[in-house]
Each structure stands twice: as C-alpha cells, then as structure tokens.
Amino acid sequence: MTGIDLVTAAQLVAEIGDIYLFATPDKLARFAGIAPVIVGSGNKVRNYKSKQGNRVLHDIIKSLAIRQLLVTRSTKVPRNPYFHWYYEQKLAAGKTKQQAIVCIMRKLVNVIFYLMKTKKAYVIPEVSISEAG
C-alpha cells in the first residue's frame, strides 16, 4: 500500500497484535481511538473525539492517512487517487480538513483490517478522471 513500508507494517502488526481478537473493523477502530464517543442525554446526542485507545496505533494510522494525500512534486498526481478523491468529497460535504483526515483514518482501519484478515495485497481502487478532477 502507498505509504506503508516494512517498518510501518511491522509497527502496525506490533501494535494491533492478533487481528483475530477483533470481530469487526469497528472494534479495531475503537481500539485505536478513532471511533467517536457518543454522549447523550434526553433528546440531545453529540459525538466527541475519543481520547481513549492505543495512542501509538492512532498516531501510526494518522501519519499513514496524511501520506495517502501526498502528491508527487513533478507531475502533481496524487499517490493514492482514491483517498485523494475521498478527501475532496469530504471537504465538499462541509467537513473541516481535520475531520476529513479522521474519515480517511477510519477508512484505512477498514483496509488494514481486511488486509490482515485475508493476508492479501492492497490494490488501489480505480477512480475515473471525472471523479478525481
């Protein structure tokens, strides 16, 4: 996957441990502190950023999310067009840049969970030029 080298992969495996301890990607996101905390009373419900979870894993996934948005210097082409397109969609939907990065982090947790469960290689999803532009 773009942005994951041998050291990053080793850090992910070391922090996550046995992937089979997590039944769903949602539980892995909760373990990493990426899932929001829902607080409600009466008719009011609010989502807050979680300060719990494995902060080292959180930082690894955050740096990986930022690496997905990088563009090459010479051609200005995104390294991972799918995540760049997804980021632009979130910004267009009214999210702040930080909120859009958290959305990418959550999507990366899904990808990491799937890759570790199935032991398959990552394939960048195709994004048409009209969607990317």
Side-chain angles (χ1 to χ4, degrees), residues 30-47:
R30 181 93 174 171
F31 175 74
I34 297 169
V37 175
I38 300 169
V39 178
S41 177
N43 294 334
K44 296 180 181 179
V45 177
R46 293 201 56 177
N47 293 330

Side-chain angles (χ1 to χ4, degrees), residues 3-37:
I4 296 183
D5 56 357
L6 187 62
V7 174
T8 307
Q11 287 176 331
L12 282 171
V13 170
E15 291 299 325
I16 292 171
D18 185 13
I19 192 67
Y20 295 101
L21 294 175
F22 304 101
T24 63
D26 299 334
K27 297 200 178 192
L28 180 59
R30 181 93 174 171
F31 175 74
I34 297 169
V37 175

Side-chain angles (χ1 to χ4, degrees), residues 12-102:
L12 282 171
V13 170
E15 291 299 325
I16 292 171
D18 185 13
I19 192 67
Y20 295 101
L21 294 175
F22 304 101
T24 63
D26 299 334
K27 297 200 178 192
L28 180 59
R30 181 93 174 171
F31 175 74
I34 297 169
V37 175
I38 300 169
V39 178
S41 177
N43 294 334
K44 296 180 181 179
V45 177
R46 293 201 56 177
N47 293 330
Y48 290 100
K49 182 179 174 185
S50 175
K51 295 181 181 175
Q52 301 170 338
N54 186 331
R55 302 319 290 171
V56 174
L57 182 58
H58 184 274
D59 291 341
I60 292 168
I61 294 173
K62 185 172 184 174
S63 67
L64 183 59
I66 291 170
R67 281 185 252 161
Q68 298 303 310
L69 299 175
L70 296 177
V71 293
T72 57
R73 288 183 184 177
S74 58
T75 60
K76 303 292 184 199
V77 175
R79 291 187 181 178
N80 191 328
Y82 174 74
F83 281 109
H84 197 270
W85 170 78
Y86 185 71
Y87 178 74
E88 294 295 330
Q89 290 294 317
K90 292 298 174 184
L91 290 179
K95 302 258 186 217
T96 64
K97 290 180 180 182
Q98 188 61 40
Q99 289 171 332
I101 289 174
V102 171

